Amino acid sequence: MPNSDNSIPAEAHKLLGQYLTLTESALKRYSVDRYNSQLTIARNYMWLSFITISGYVALFDAFGLGQMLRNYVIDEQGSLFYLLTPLFLIKAMWISIEVLLHAIKASTGTTFQETFETVNDKFETLESYDFEPQDFYEIPRDTLKSLNNNLIDAMDQANRRGTLLRSMANEISHSIYWAIASIILYTLTFL
């Protein structure tokens, strides 16, 4: 901050410039690099969920699980496997649909703030009024404050997406486990 003669030391300007550079590069890492990486992962989960849903529908049709479910519920024929096999596969499909919806949510809803939008206003203020030497220091200091706020926001968004992506990994695994259980139960209907 200003010293007794109301001027800002050159070291303070230099240090502030270094902090601006570091904070801006950290903001770029979060708002561009990490965002793009997370967006790619979310797209992969979208494709994976589409593939699993398509596979489950094909299994449902190939195994005749609709008829199996109808036989058990309406005609009251068959064993408990006739009920559980289609229900397990439906559960697997439901989980894959949830993964798809989470992937869409992770891919959208991201906002980025413009960091340098008020700099022009500050320069106009410097040009139109009598200014003190510390007024020059105020511009990069306010920009640093804005960068820090945007960095915190970008980190929060990245953490939210990261949590969502990690939950999708667990959910798609559970979906596949339910499908495998359904296939095992289908096999057991022939014993």
Side-chain angles (χ1 to χ4, degrees):
M1 296 314 263
N3 57 19
S4 60
D5 67 354
N6 222 12
S7 66
I8 307 299
E11 295 83 17
H13 283 286
K14 183 178 176 183
L15 185 61
L16 183 59
Q18 291 171 346
Y19 280 139
L20 278 169
T21 303
L22 290 172
T23 306
E24 188 175 20
S25 67
L27 179 61
K28 181 191 173 292
R29 270 194 321 271
Y30 275 94
S31 62
V32 176
D33 300 338
R34 184 163 290 175
Y35 173 72
N36 288 335
S37 173
Q38 289 178 329
L39 192 59
T40 300
I41 293 168
R43 285 184 191 138
N44 289 339
Y45 280 121
M46 278 187 223
W47 281 110
L48 187 57
S49 64
F50 276 131
I51 290 168
T52 56
I53 291 168
S54 299
Y56 300 154
V57 169
L59 280 176
F60 200 88
D61 184 49
F63 289 171
L65 296 182
Q67 182 64 35
M68 189 182 284
L69 188 60
R70 183 187 169 282
N71 287 345
Y72 185 81
V73 175
I74 296 175
D75 298 337
E76 297 178 8
Q77 296 175 0
S79 68
L80 187 60
F81 296 131
Y82 278 59
L83 175 65
L84 295 179
T85 301
L87 291 181
F88 277 29
L89 197 58
I90 290 169
K91 174 72 174 179
M93 276 191 262
W94 180 261
I95 294 171
S96 287
I97 290 169
E98 286 181 345
V99 170
L100 175 65
L101 296 175
H102 286 151
I104 291 169
K105 182 178 179 182
S107 300
T108 59
T110 301
T111 58
F112 296 109
Q113 306 296 321
E114 179 58 49
T115 302
F116 302 104
E117 63 188 13
T118 61
V119 172
N120 286 338
D121 295 337
K122 292 181 194 281
F123 277 119
E124 288 174 8
T125 302
L126 288 176
E127 292 170 351
S128 61
Y129 297 109
D130 293 330
F131 54 88
E132 303 282 329
Q134 64 265 23
D135 292 339
F136 284 115
Y137 185 73
E138 189 175 308
I139 291 173
R141 190 184 66 217
D142 289 348
T143 303
L144 178 62
K145 191 183 298 183
S146 177
L147 278 170
N148 277 326
N149 290 337
N150 292 345
L151 178 60
I152 290 168
D153 185 48
M155 290 172 70
D156 289 343
Q157 290 181 38
N159 288 335
R160 177 189 59 82
R161 277 190 307 273
T163 301
L164 205 52
L165 292 172
R166 284 186 295 277
S167 74
M168 284 187 273
N170 289 332
E171 289 174 356
I172 204 72
S173 298
H174 288 122
S175 172
I176 293 169
Y177 296 150
W178 280 97
I180 291 170
S182 177
I183 292 169
I184 291 169
L185 289 174
Y186 178 75
T187 306
L188 293 175
T189 60
F190 297 106
L191 295 181

